[in-house]
Amino acid sequence: MTILKTALKKIFRDSFKEPVKVIFWDGEEISYNGEEPKYTVKFNKSISDELLNKDPTLALAEAYMDGDIEVEGSLEELIVDLYKNKDSFIRVKSELLSKIIKSKNNKHDSRENAHYHYDIGNDFYKLWLDKSMTYSCAYFKDKNDTLEMAQENKIDHILKKLNIKPNQKLLDIGCGWGELIIRAARDYGAKSYGITLSDEQYTKTLDRIKENKLEDRVFVKLMDYRDLKNEKFDRVVSIGMLEHVGKGNLNDYFSKVNELLNDGGISLSHSITMPNDGANNIFLNKYIFPGGYVPGIKEIITEVAENDFHLLDVESLRRHYARTLEMWTDNFESNLDEIRKTKDERFIRMWRLFLQGCAGSFKSGNIDIHQVLFSKGINDELPWTREYIYK
């Protein structure tokens, strides 16, 4: 027990810049960086010293999920503090990571991974997403934008970047609950196609297409993007999908986009990114996004170049995603009574850690999100400046 406490004291001493107080399971209290704590971490019981030695991030995350640790103060700001410190335990490379991460996601893995995360239940997601069920970074034109407004802004921002024209064919790879393909057809006159691996998303998207009376202009399929053959599109977009293809499949993805695009066609990838090399997160891979891999921005740009695309535009939306996650968190916490009707406390603490942890990770700059716009061959139909995007 003494060895465990010694290890934990070192972890907390080396990981925080802000004042933090730790209360151990035996009542001992210790403060770091000042006497007025910004956060208090209380251990209700001891934790696994074996797991702590192998991966402190996973050990402490699971202890929080199990209720063995309580945090007083902002969990999000605590995560920000951890990422600001280069000596923090959260930056230690996991010894366990390689055992649960596959370098490539085959079609069966991809299907199972999508089912694990996205088929939790539409009723659950409806409680904290906006009414359009858009589950990706919003775009805030103003600090007072509501979540719904910001998600509408995001769809328009993407479709304007793509310079979509009436009757052009657009493909959304990983179309979620269908908001973009419906808006592209309804508001921009496109002929829209979406594909997803999620049963719940597929069923809901079909319903929304019928509700909007767009059966002749919007189409959705339950399939892997790699199985799409003998089709050509003027525009191809993916929002929050590239993070799911796996490190070993990045080239396959961009090669497939090249195959699907008409000459002069334009594609946009909206993806979480790492500032340098790509990375996995053991907590997210084990509990939230199995098979996930966050590519480095340089990996994406390299793939664009190596697949003979022409890079048109790169934009960071890091602050926008932090704000989106904070709004999702507010909605999540406001609907706990409803969530508890179908989910247990461990699930709730797991998702709280996920939402606030991701917000903190974006806020600290540990991760970013980029929209990367590129064309197959030269496209001289785009306006000369970015002004067309902001009209």
Side-chain angles (χ1 to χ4, degrees):
M1 195 69 73
T2 302
I3 295 174
L4 173 60
K5 281 181 70 176
T6 299
L8 286 168
K9 287 177 181 179
K10 183 179 187 306
I11 283 172
F12 283 101
R13 183 193 70 211
D14 295 343
S15 296
F16 289 92
K17 291 184 179 294
E18 298 286 351
V20 58
K21 179 166 74 172
V22 182
I23 304 174
F24 291 100
W25 51 88
D26 60 1
E28 181 183 359
E29 297 184 13
I30 187 167
S31 295
Y32 300 93
N33 308 321
E35 294 300 320
E36 292 297 326
K38 188 172 182 180
Y39 331 100
T40 297
V41 179
K42 181 181 179 183
F43 286 83
N44 294 322
K45 59 184 291 190
S46 64
I47 64 175
S48 167
D49 56 346
E50 182 181 0
L51 182 55
L52 186 73
N53 183 56
K54 290 180 179 177
D55 193 293
T57 297
L58 185 61
L60 293 168
E62 290 186 328
Y64 177 81
M65 288 163 53
D66 292 335
D68 298 340
I69 294 177
E70 301 291 346
V71 175
E72 296 176 13
S74 169
L75 187 57
E76 177 188 330
E77 291 301 324
L78 182 147
I79 299 294
V80 171
D81 195 15
L82 287 173
Y83 276 119
K84 282 182 177 177
N85 192 338
K86 64 181 178 60
D87 297 322
S88 168
F89 72 85
I90 208 167
R91 293 187 176 275
V92 175
K93 273 202 166 184
S94 170
E95 294 181 16
L96 300 176
L97 197 56
S98 61
K99 296 180 181 178
I100 67 169
I101 302 298
K102 295 182 179 179
S103 63
K104 299 190 77 168
N105 291 326
N106 60 36
K107 293 174 186 177
H108 176 267
D109 291 337
S110 295
R111 179 73 182 84
E112 290 300 309
N113 293 341
H115 174 74
Y116 181 90
H117 185 80
Y118 294 102
D119 289 341
I120 293 172
N122 288 343
D123 289 342
F124 168 68
Y125 285 109
K126 272 198 307 197
L127 290 172
W128 51 275
L129 297 178
D130 70 299
K131 72 174 186 179
S132 72
M133 300 279 284
T134 302
Y135 187 23
S136 54
C137 173
Y139 183 71
F140 296 87
K141 292 184 178 180
D142 185 274
K143 66 179 181 180
N144 296 317
D145 282 350
T146 64
L147 179 60
E148 184 178 334
M149 290 166 60
Q151 291 293 12
E152 289 178 1
N153 293 343
K154 189 266 299 297
I155 299 297
D156 283 328
H157 193 55
I158 289 173
L159 292 174
K160 286 180 178 179
K161 276 188 178 182
L162 289 167
N163 201 34
I164 191 78
K165 302 295 184 185
N167 296 316
Q168 285 185 330
K169 286 179 65 179
L170 174 142
L171 172 66
D172 185 358
I173 301 176
C175 65
W177 285 276
E179 180 68 8
L180 185 138
I181 55 176
I182 288 170
R183 289 278 305 281
R186 189 187 69 203
D187 300 343
Y188 292 81
K191 197 167 185 181
S192 300
Y193 298 78
I195 54 176
T196 179
L197 290 172
S198 164
D199 295 315
E200 299 257 355
Q201 290 180 344
Y202 172 70
T203 302
K204 180 65 175 177
T205 301
L206 281 175
D207 291 341
R208 295 189 67 199
I209 291 169
K210 291 176 183 176
E211 288 169 9
N212 284 272
K213 298 181 172 54
L214 289 170
E215 294 95 330
D216 61 334
R217 299 201 66 80
V218 183
F219 310 91
V220 63
K221 290 184 178 180
L222 185 65
M223 66 181 300
D224 192 293
Y225 76 97
R226 289 165 286 194
D227 291 329
L228 195 57
K229 302 186 188 304
N230 303 315
E231 291 275 6
K232 289 287 186 179
F233 299 90
D234 302 298
R235 303 289 187 267
V236 175
V237 63
S238 66
I239 303 173
M241 182 270 179
L242 197 61
E243 305 93 307
H244 296 299
V245 305
K247 180 179 175 61
N249 289 339
L250 286 176
N251 184 259
D252 294 344
Y253 170 83
F254 284 96
S255 177
K256 188 65 179 182
V257 171
N258 196 318
E259 175 190 322
L260 293 169
L261 272 177
N262 287 318
D263 290 339
I266 298 173
S267 182
L268 183 143
S269 168
H270 171 115
S271 170
I272 300 171
T273 57
M274 297 297 297
N276 198 338
D277 295 320
N280 301 100
N281 179 286
I282 191 168
F283 166 72
L284 294 181
N285 270 270
K286 185 173 181 179
Y287 290 106
I288 307 295
F289 293 115
Y293 171 77
V294 177
I297 183 61
K298 67 181 181 182
E299 289 180 280
I300 296 176
I301 302 303
T302 297
E303 293 295 345
V304 166
E306 290 188 348
N307 281 278
D308 295 324
F309 291 117
H310 288 257
L311 183 64
L312 302 173
D313 192 82
V314 180
E315 181 180 16
S316 166
L317 299 180
R318 179 185 63 82
R319 294 168 67 192
H320 295 262
Y321 215 162
R323 180 70 178 131
T324 303
L325 282 152
E326 288 172 346
M327 293 180 123
W328 286 345
T329 295
D330 289 344
N331 291 345
F332 182 87
E333 298 294 341
S334 296
N335 286 284
L336 285 181
D337 288 344
E338 283 299 312
I339 293 172
R340 285 191 173 105
K341 291 178 180 179
T342 57
K343 309 298 180 186
D344 63 21
E345 287 302 312
R346 192 172 194 265
F347 178 94
I348 288 169
R349 293 172 73 92
M350 178 178 76
W351 272 78
R352 179 180 292 135
L353 186 58
F354 162 54
L355 292 171
Q356 295 193 47
C358 286
S361 194
F362 280 110
K363 216 168 183 179
S364 69
N366 176 62
I367 53 177
D368 207 320
I369 182 162
H370 285 90
Q371 291 185 350
V372 179
L373 189 72
F374 51 95
S375 63
K376 180 178 178 178
I378 293 295
N379 185 312
D380 286 338
E381 295 178 359
L382 286 175
W384 286 66
T385 73
R386 287 177 170 176
E387 185 179 358
Y388 77 100
I389 300 172
Y390 302 105
K391 287 182 178 177

